[in-house]
């Protein structure tokens, strides 16, 4: 009878629990750990530090130390210091985002080991987590990362991502099968939804738990594209994830997962110790940049306490360089100020404030065809590049603007923002200037670019593709010919294919030029390359899939970077000499998906093959 009663109670309790769980977002999880990882040290990642901290979470930020503050795309060292001060982990990502599988052994070692040394010299400790640029790794890269002192290295992919790698496990094991190849779901980006991120977590929770490492790059508020994640969606995901701690789902940094520990919170102030408030120019200190020296004041409470401070990063309680505060003092360069007050009741735990000062404007270099501009006329159109740089440790370049009509770009309505190299086909007076994040404005520079008059081509033709599509390694039997976009990326690879029927070039034509123009729905820095390869013709977009795609032939050209929301040019002149069918494939050296408009898109964005030639005599 007692066993029967116990059984009935168990059944009733099980039924009640079942009813409660259906009201929860997922069934209870065991040993599910989520890690937030952020690649490249992009400036748009900076606000995520506070967003995570506000939810009691910590993330891992993989930094390219050689690119920090080099332009407005990247965080500055003071910003990264503030990220670390909030309890987040700082990891390595090579000096300059180098593909370790293609670099020489000496270059690869310098990129990995020197990057870690730079981070340690900035005061970050421990620096034990690494992420492969472009998610590219092999056994040699894994051994190198280990020899440089890292305890883990993260790649991208090989975890079930709903529609990609559907046969893969739902989470990485703890500890990982290979600590130097930590697997992840597909990275977040403009096409990843809130439901996708939630599903990555609940899939792990409902399949025995494990480690779900989420990968983020840029962040945006509107008009997101490429690998950028919508900030509002990210915050909604944090709101959703936070209460799941009651189900057993934890958030940890990569380093904490690998070490089995948890980053300890800052120690509380000693009982009875005084507290110190800091002010800058008589008001609250800003987290931004100042263009002039700052007057710093320290106010201890209760009155009568002694306050000491340092400007060299040492502990003001014990350092021989500590100064006893008497009155406001001036800080004229970027400084991490540490301060602490004491009285008979105790000594305050030191506090730190980063005071960021940049009083020098950036400088802009104007180059022609990759070098110094000639003082004599060019015989062909010139590719003009503008390269802006801020001082070492400065706030970073915010923007560069230029004019081609000789007007002053600092005030002219014809000034345009610089995004990529642009052609100059006639003699032009070019003027340009840059500003930095702190607001310093460079005096405009002037460059006369002389180009001899160019004869007009005898013939021209613009074609649209007869077929275009893309193939996906993760879905090898799917067709995509009816879609409005063409996708490319490495890793879980996607290739874009286009086929044209060239007709109209007269026999005997010379000087044939061919330019493939693709409208990009995604941006990409110049470190990401997009090779164009010749492939066989005869396929159709209705039947093209990964399993029957033409093999890649010779490389026709390679384009560095992409401009979002504009046509991007690829040179195919060495492919076309006359009439006939031609086909090409576009690939990418980066694991992040990029999107081009297909022939099914609106007319203003469809692919174009632009041809020109000189007619025979």
């Amino acid at each position: 009878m007692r066993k029967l009663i116990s059984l009935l109670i168990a059944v009733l309790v099980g039924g009640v629990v079942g009813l409660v769980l259906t009201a929860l977002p997922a069934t209870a999880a065991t040993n599910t750990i989520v890690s937030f990882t952020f690649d490249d040290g992009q400036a748009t990642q900076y606000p995520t530090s506070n967003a995570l901290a506000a939810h009691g979470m910590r993330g891992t930020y993989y930094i390219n130390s050689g690119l920090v503050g080099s332009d407005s795309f990247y965080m500055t060292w003071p910003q990264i210091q503030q990220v670390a001060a909030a309890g987040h982990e700082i990891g390595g990502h090579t000096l300059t985002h180098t593909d370790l599988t293609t670099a020489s052994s000496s270059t690869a070692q310098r990129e990995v080991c020197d990057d870690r040394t730079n981070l340690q010299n900035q005061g970050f400790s421990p620096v034990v987590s690494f992420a492969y640029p472009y998610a590219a790794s092999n056994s040699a890269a894994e051994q190198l990362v280990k020899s440089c002192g890292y305890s883990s290295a993260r790649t991208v992919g090989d975890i079930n991502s709903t529609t990609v790698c559907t046969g893969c496990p739902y989470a990485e094991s703890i500890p990982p099968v290979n600590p130097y190849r930590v697997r992840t779901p597909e990275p977040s980006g403009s096409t990843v939804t809130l439901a996708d991120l939630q599903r990555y977590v609940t899939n792990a929770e409902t399949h025995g738990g494990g480690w779900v490492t989420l990968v983020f790059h840029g962040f945006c508020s509107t008009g997101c594209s490429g690998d950028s994640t919508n900030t509002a969606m990210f915050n909604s995901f944090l709101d959703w994830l936070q209460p799941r701690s009651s189900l057993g789902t934890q958030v940890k940094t990569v380093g904490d997962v690998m070490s089995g520990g948890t980053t300890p919170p800052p120690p509380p102030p000693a009982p009875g110790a005084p507290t110190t408030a800091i002010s800058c120019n008589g008001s609250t200190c800003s987290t931004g940049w100042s263009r002039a020296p700052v007057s710093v004041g320290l106010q201890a409470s209760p009155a009568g306490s002694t306050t000491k401070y340092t400007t060299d990063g040492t502990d003001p309680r014990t350092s021989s360089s500590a100064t006893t505060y008497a009155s406001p003092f001036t800080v004229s360069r970027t400084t991490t100020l540490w301060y602490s007050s004491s009285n008979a009741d105790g000594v305050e735990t030191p506090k730190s404030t980063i005071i960021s000062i940049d009083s020098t404007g950036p400088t802009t270099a104007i180059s022609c065809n990759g070098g110094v501009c000639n003082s004599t006329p060019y015989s062909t159109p010139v590719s003009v590049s503008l390269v802006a740089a801020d001082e070492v440790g400065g706030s970073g370049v915010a923007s560069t603007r230029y004019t081609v009509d000789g007007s002053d770009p600092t005030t002219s309505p014809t000034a345009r923002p610089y995004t990529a190299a642009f052609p100059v086909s006639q003699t032009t007076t070019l003027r340009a200037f840059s500003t930095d994040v702190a607001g310093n404005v460079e005096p405009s520079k002037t460059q006369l670019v002389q180009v001899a008059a160019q004869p007009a081509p005898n013939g021209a033709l613009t074609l649209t593709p007869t077929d275009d599509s893309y193939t996906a390694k993760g879905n090898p039997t799917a067709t995509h010919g009816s879609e409005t976009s063409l996708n490319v990326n490495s890793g879980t690879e996607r290739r874009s294919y286009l086929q044209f029927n060239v007709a109209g070039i007269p026999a005997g034509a010379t000087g044939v030029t061919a330019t493939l123009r693709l409208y990009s729905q995604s941006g990409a820095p110049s470190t990401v390359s997009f090779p164009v390869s010749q492939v066989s013709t005869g396929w159709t977009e209705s039947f093209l899939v990964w399993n029957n795609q033409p093999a890649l032939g010779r490389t026709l050209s390679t384009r560095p970077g992409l401009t979002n929301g504009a046509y991007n040019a690829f040179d195919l002149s060495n492919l076309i000499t006359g009439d006939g069918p031609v086909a090409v494939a576009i690939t990418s050296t980066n694991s992040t998906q990029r999107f081009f408009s297909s022939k099914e898109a609106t007319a203003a964005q469809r692919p174009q093959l632009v041809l020109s030639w000189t007619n025979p005599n």
Side-chain angles (χ1 to χ4, degrees), residues 20 58 92 124-125 132 144 155-156 224 251 258 268 278 283 298 353 379 385 391 404 439 445 471 510 562 612:
V20 171
R58 299 293 182 266
F124 304 123
S125 179
Y132 296 106
L144 171 61
T155 182
V156 172
C224 298
V251 175
M258 293 302 301
I278 187 171
S283 60
L298 300 173
T353 296
S379 59
S385 299
E391 63 177 338
V404 292
K445 293 184 175 179
T471 61
T510 59
L562 292 174
S612 65

Side-chain angles (χ1 to χ4, degrees), residues 309-325:
Y309 66 91
T310 60
T311 58
D312 58 4
T314 57
D315 189 332
R317 297 171 300 180
T318 58
S319 176
S320 60
S321 64
T323 300
T324 300
Y325 177 78

Side-chain angles (χ1 to χ4, degrees), residues 468-470 472 475 478-487 494 521 541 593 595-601:
D468 63 4
S469 185
Y470 71 93
N475 199 355
T479 60
H480 304 280
S482 62
E483 297 182 18
T484 59
S485 67
L486 303 172
N487 304 356
R494 295 169 179 83
Q521 303 170 12
E541 64 180 30
Q593 283 194 70
F595 306 87
F596 303 106
S597 296
S598 73
K599 71 182 183 65
E600 282 73 22

Side-chain angles (χ1 to χ4, degrees), residues 458-461 502-510 512 577-579 612-617:
N458 288 4
L461 187 64
V502 178
I505 301 177
T510 59
V512 177
T577 58
D579 288 353
S612 65
W613 61 87
T614 300
N615 288 323
N617 295 326

Side-chain angles (χ1 to χ4, degrees), residues 92 94 100 108-109 111-113 116 127-133 136-154 179-181:
T94 73
L100 299 180
Q109 181 170 5
E111 287 282 336
V112 177
C113 293
R116 182 169 186 260
V127 180
V128 293
S129 302
F130 181 83
Y132 296 106
S137 67
N138 53 26
S139 59
E142 293 174 10
Q143 184 58 43
L144 171 61
V145 170
K146 181 178 180 180
S147 68
C148 287
Y150 288 103
S151 61
S152 74
R154 197 218 67 210
Y180 294 96
R181 190 175 175 79

Side-chain angles (χ1 to χ4, degrees), residues 11-34:
V11 171
L12 289 172
V13 171
V16 172
V17 171
L19 290 172
V20 171
L21 286 178
T22 59
L24 292 173
T27 55
T30 56
N31 298 327
T32 300
I33 295 177
V34 177

Side-chain angles (χ1 to χ4, degrees), residues 14-320:
V16 172
V17 171
L19 290 172
V20 171
L21 286 178
T22 59
L24 292 173
T27 55
T30 56
N31 298 327
T32 300
I33 295 177
V34 177
S35 291
F36 289 86
T37 65
F38 305 87
D39 287 14
D40 310 337
Q42 297 186 27
T44 56
Q45 297 170 0
Y46 179 58
T48 64
S49 168
N50 289 336
L52 285 169
H55 289 80
M57 303 172 185
R58 299 293 182 266
T60 298
Y61 292 76
Y62 294 113
I63 305 299
N64 299 116
S65 64
L67 300 177
V68 172
S70 59
D71 60 39
S72 59
F73 183 80
Y74 299 101
M75 284 191 283
T76 62
W77 283 121
Q79 288 176 317
I80 297 171
Q81 293 283 358
Q82 290 171 342
V83 169
H88 303 290
E89 179 185 19
I90 304 300
H93 200 39
T94 73
L95 288 170
T96 58
H97 206 275
T98 296
D99 186 336
L100 299 180
T101 64
T102 59
S104 67
S105 57
S106 59
T107 296
Q109 181 170 5
R110 182 175 67 255
E111 287 282 336
V112 177
C113 293
D114 289 4
D115 181 50
R116 182 169 186 260
T117 299
N118 286 352
L119 296 174
Q120 291 173 318
N121 289 341
Q122 287 289 329
F124 304 123
S125 179
V127 180
V128 293
S129 302
F130 181 83
Y132 296 106
Y134 311 112
S137 67
N138 53 26
S139 59
E142 293 174 10
Q143 184 58 43
L144 171 61
V145 170
K146 181 178 180 180
S147 68
C148 287
Y150 288 103
S151 61
S152 74
R154 197 218 67 210
T155 182
V156 172
D158 296 328
I159 293 296
N160 190 305
S161 302
T162 308
T163 60
V164 178
C165 206
T166 54
C168 295
Y170 288 98
E172 177 63 275
S173 59
I174 305 175
V177 175
N178 181 353
Y180 294 96
R181 190 175 175 79
V182 175
R183 301 168 292 177
T184 78
E186 288 294 289
S188 181
S190 60
T191 61
V192 174
T193 66
L194 174 60
D196 290 331
L197 294 177
Q198 293 171 342
R199 198 175 295 113
Y200 295 160
V201 176
T202 57
N203 278 347
E205 292 175 337
T206 55
H207 290 83
W211 186 11
V212 180
T213 301
L214 302 177
V215 181
F216 297 91
H217 289 86
F219 286 83
C220 53
S221 55
T222 58
C224 298
S225 62
D227 59 8
S228 291
T229 298
N230 182 274
T231 300
M233 183 190 77
F234 179 77
N235 291 331
S236 295
F237 178 65
L238 297 184
D239 293 338
W240 173 86
L241 182 61
Q242 186 177 31
R244 302 190 77 77
S245 60
S246 64
L247 302 177
T249 298
Q250 306 175 62
V251 175
K252 291 186 177 183
T253 65
V254 172
D256 284 341
V257 175
M258 293 302 301
S259 68
T262 301
T263 301
T275 59
T276 309
I278 187 171
S279 63
C280 295
N281 295 328
S283 60
T284 302
C285 292
S286 169
T287 58
W289 288 84
S290 172
R291 287 181 289 161
V294 175
S295 176
V296 177
L298 300 173
Q299 179 66 51
S301 178
S305 302
T306 298
T307 301
K308 292 187 176 182
Y309 66 91
T310 60
T311 58
D312 58 4
T314 57
D315 189 332
R317 297 171 300 180
T318 58
S319 176
S320 60

